[in-house]
């Protein structure tokens, strides 16, 4: 029967579309420029600490900065802490804001929809590609940090926040957990960017609004007078990955963060569906 | 037009489901509990019989004392702001592990930082990740067998409740409120209300685990304030012995290690605050509206010369007032200090009395 054949061939179309979307995303010079800029952050930090004669005093600057000279594995952690408030949301905002609006402004959106893909599948594929970029961006910082740290500083057992010490192997595992935490943290922002991207044909506008929202959310999160609002802000748990660096690991913030991000994804994916499926595609 | 509307239905449904879940989940957590009725005396006896020696759990302490609130920003380790006025007056989340009378660990979980108190036998370690320092002290032998391990300045609901209940006398009315649920356990609500009207304390509410008698939460309500002025409660609790390696602590390589002698008369772990007995404070009155008075001396001079002093206090007739929802502190112009859970007028009256 033709209908069942169609059903069976659907996933294939979806995967093919995702593969082509990913290859387009990761063949763009802009994507690589952003990943390289992110990787440069821990490298600059490591070079600055290596070249300066004085060790950073404890308790000043980003957390763990004073530990770098004793253990290079902390470079990745410091890099992630520095990147989480602005640089990572910036790059994620660019990618997520570009998803639909970029195709619309390039005039390619209608050709994508002529193919038997359907608008829902296109949205899903675009969102999946943005999520893949979240993971890639976080890994760029973490891996570059670990590499430059191992190259420039001694490497040894890692001290956790609780004062307990873990082996190098386990610390790499924890670094991956932290990277996973931050990737999850950025998914909600990707969904917001996807929705904003369906509202406009001007990709720069969608990118800028997404990034502005990330900053506004963090500003609201820092005001104690608005503490009733804080658990609802998508940036509320962004720096909560410190809980993964305790002994024993506290999974509470990981779970809360995942639930919060999932809620944001559901709401904004549904909004994006509402907008995109009822939109007149003119370009 | 009709079809376009339908496209927005999923968005509406998702928002409605999330909103109802956000309302329903806290409601089911605090769903009505119906325990066999007990008199206040029976609940007090339940607490007195309680002998929970081993537990691991998470404590949440919030204080709403009406102190100025500052925005929290930045990516640094954030322990300084909350420790400026001492742990007891700050809001934090801490994990607590107890095993028998001599093993205890408390982890105050700050943003990207942690403060630990670990007691294992007679060894006590204080560790702060922010400045990577470890302070070691050894408890005198005779306190080793003291019942009830403490976790230093991190007060568990049990410790606080024991202190509060020890002070219960004829100036306090004890009653049992509605049964509640704390950390997933059913609890009796023991309410202590001061008989005296001239105190800032409205009432004290202690949730007592119906099964073991362990106090699960302590809330202090101030007169004329809706939110509890101070609350410490378990948010999760397991009544099983934690694994032994939780209590073994060796200072990390690279940490500054300090050795500190433990004051011999003190079983509690407060090595950070050596007690000076140069000036002896005295109590005026008793019960809830008692006033603590301290004569002028070096200690009070140090207090008034601090740059924070001018910012935290307001000028009132006769001196400077440090006001919180539960406690007023009056520093008179001649350097005497009066403190108590009483309105400022009473402090002024005590200060001007001959």
């Amino acid at each position: 029967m033709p209908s069942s054949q169609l059903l069976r061939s659907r996933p294939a179309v979806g995967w093919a579309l995702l593969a082509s979307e990913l290859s387009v995303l990761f063949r763009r010079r802009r994507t690589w420029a952003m990943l390289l800029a992110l990787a440069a952050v821990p490298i600059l930090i490591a070079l600055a600490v290596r070249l300066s004669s004085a060790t950073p005093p404890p308790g000043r600057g980003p957390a763990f900065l004073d530990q770098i000279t004793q253990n290079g594995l902390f470079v990745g952690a410091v890099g992630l802490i520095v990147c989480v408030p602005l640089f990572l949301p910036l790059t994620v905002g660019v990618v997520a804001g570009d998803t639909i609006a970029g195709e619309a402004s390039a005039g390619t959106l209608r050709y994508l929809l002529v193919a038997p893909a359907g608008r829902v599948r296109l949205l899903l594929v675009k969102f999946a590609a943005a999520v893949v970029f979240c993971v890639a961006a976080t890994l760029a910082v973490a891996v570059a940090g670990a590499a430059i740290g191992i190259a420039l500083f001694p490497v040894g057992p890692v001290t956790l926040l609780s004062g307990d010490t873990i082996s190098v192997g386990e610390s790499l595992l924890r670094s991956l957990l932290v990277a996973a935490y931050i990737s999850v943290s950025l998914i909600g922002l990707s969904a917001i960017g996807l929705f904003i991207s369906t509202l406009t044909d001007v990709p720069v506008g969608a990118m800028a609004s997404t990034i502005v929202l990330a900053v506004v959310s963090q500003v609201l999160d820092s005001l104690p007078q608005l503490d009733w609002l804080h658990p609802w802000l998508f940036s509320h748990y962004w720096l909560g990955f410190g809980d993964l660096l305790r002994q024993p690991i506290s999974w509470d913030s990981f779970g809360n963060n995942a639930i919060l991000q999932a809620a944001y994804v559901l709401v904004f994916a549904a909004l994006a569906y509402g907008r995109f499926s009822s939109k007149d595609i003119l370009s | 037009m009709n079809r376009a509307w339908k496209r927005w239905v999923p968005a509406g449904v998702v928002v409605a489901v999330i909103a109802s879940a956000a309302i329903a989940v806290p409601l089911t957590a605090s769903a009505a509990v119906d325990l066999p009725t007990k008199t206040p005396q029976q609940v007090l006896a339940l607490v007195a019989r309680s002998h929970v020696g081993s537990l691991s759990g998470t404590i949440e302490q919030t204080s709403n004392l009406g102190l100025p609130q500052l925005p929290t920003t930045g990516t640094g380790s954030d322990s300084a702001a909350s420790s400026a006025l001492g742990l007891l007056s700050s809001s934090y989340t801490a994990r607590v592990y107890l095993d028998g009378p001599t093993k205890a660990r408390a982890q105050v979980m700050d943003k990207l930082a942690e403060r630990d108190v670990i007691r294992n036998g007679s060894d006590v370690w204080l560790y702060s990740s922010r400045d990577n320092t470890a302070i070691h002290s050894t408890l005198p032998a005779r306190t080793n067998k003291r019942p009830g391990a403490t976790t230093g300045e991190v007060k568990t609901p049990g410790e606080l409740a024991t202190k509060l209940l020890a002070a219960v006398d004829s100036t306090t009315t004890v009653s049992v409120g509605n049964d509640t649920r704390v950390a997933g356990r059913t609890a009796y609500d023991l309410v202590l209300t001061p008989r005296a009207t001239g105190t800032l304390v409205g009432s004290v509410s202690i949730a007592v685990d119906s099964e073991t008698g362990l106090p699960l939460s302590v809330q202090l309500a101030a007169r004329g304030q809706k939110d509890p002025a101070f609350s410490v409660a378990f948010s999760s609790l397991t009544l099983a012995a934690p694994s032994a390696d939780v209590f073994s602590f060796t200072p990390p390589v690279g940490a500054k290690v300090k050795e500190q002698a433990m004051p011999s008369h003190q079983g509690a772990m407060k090595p950070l605050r050596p007690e000076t007995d140069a000036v002896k404070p005295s109590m005026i009155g008793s019960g809830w509206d008692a006033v603590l008075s301290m004569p002028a001396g070096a200690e009070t001079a140090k207090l008034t010369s601090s740059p924070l002093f001018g910012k935290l206090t307001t000028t009132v007739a006769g001196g400077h007032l440090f006001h919180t929802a539960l406690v007023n502190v009056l520093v008179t112009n001649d350097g005497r200090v009066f403190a108590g859970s009483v309105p400022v007028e009473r402090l002024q009256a005590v200060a001007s009395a001959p």
Side-chain angles (χ1 to χ4, degrees), chain A residues 58-59 61-64 66-67 70 81-82 85 159-165 195 221-225 227 232 239 241-243 246-250 252 263 266-267 270-271 273-275 277-278, chain B residues 4 7-8 10-11 14-15 18 22 58 69-77 95 97 105 107-114 116 118 127 129-132 245-246 248-254 256:
Chain A
F64 305 123
D66 55 306
Q67 309 250 28
Q70 290 154 22
I81 289 169
V82 170
T159 307
L160 294 171
L161 290 175
S162 310
D164 298 86
T165 307
F195 169 59
D221 201 26
S222 70
L223 297 175
Q225 287 78 6
D227 55 359
W232 297 94
L239 286 171
F241 56 84
D243 284 1
R246 307 183 195 279
Q247 185 76 334
I249 294 180
S250 169
D252 292 359
L266 284 177
V267 169
L271 283 174
Y273 165 75
R275 166 68 187 166
S277 59
S278 59
Chain B
R7 310 290 188 182
W8 293 94
V14 166
V15 170
I18 289 175
T58 308
Q69 294 181 306
L70 299 172
T72 50
T73 48
T75 50
S77 310
R95 289 192 292 187
Y97 303 91
R105 178 165 192 167
Q107 304 178 311
V108 180
M109 305 206 277
D110 302 306
K111 191 182 91 183
L112 293 173
E114 188 169 305
D116 277 50
I118 307 114
Y127 178 74
S129 79
R130 188 172 181 271
D131 39 15
N132 199 14
D245 54 0
V246 167
S248 63
F249 182 82
T250 30
V253 181
K256 283 183 293 253

Side-chain angles (χ1 to χ4, degrees), chain A residues 111-261:
Chain A
Y111 300 115
L112 278 173
L113 293 175
V114 165
R119 297 186 181 195
V120 176
R121 189 149 339 128
L122 183 65
L123 267 185
L124 287 177
V125 163
K126 287 286 183 185
F127 180 63
V131 171
V132 170
F133 178 80
C134 292
V135 177
T138 315
L139 282 179
V141 181
V143 171
I148 192 79
I150 291 169
L152 292 185
F153 299 104
V155 169
V158 169
T159 307
L160 294 171
L161 290 175
S162 310
D164 298 86
T165 307
I166 54 171
S167 65
V168 175
E170 203 189 336
S171 83
L172 290 175
L173 196 70
R174 298 256 184 151
S175 304
L176 282 180
L177 274 179
V178 169
Y181 183 103
I182 295 173
S183 306
V184 170
S185 300
L186 295 168
I187 290 178
L189 184 65
S190 307
I192 295 173
L194 180 74
F195 169 59
I196 296 176
S197 189
T198 61
L199 296 178
T200 174
D201 288 352
V202 186
V204 176
M207 296 174 192
S209 338
T210 310
I211 296 160
V212 165
L213 274 181
V215 174
V216 167
S217 170
Q218 292 181 78
V219 170
L220 293 179
D221 201 26
S222 70
L223 297 175
Q225 287 78 6
L226 295 175
D227 55 359
W228 52 272
L229 182 68
H230 290 173
W232 297 94
L233 295 170
F234 60 89
S235 65
H236 183 58
Y237 297 103
W238 275 7
L239 286 171
F241 56 84
D243 284 1
L244 299 172
L245 303 174
R246 307 183 195 279
Q247 185 76 334
I249 294 180
S250 169
W251 291 102
D252 292 359
S253 55
F254 198 110
N256 290 339
N257 185 36
I259 292 171
L260 181 74
Q261 301 300 331

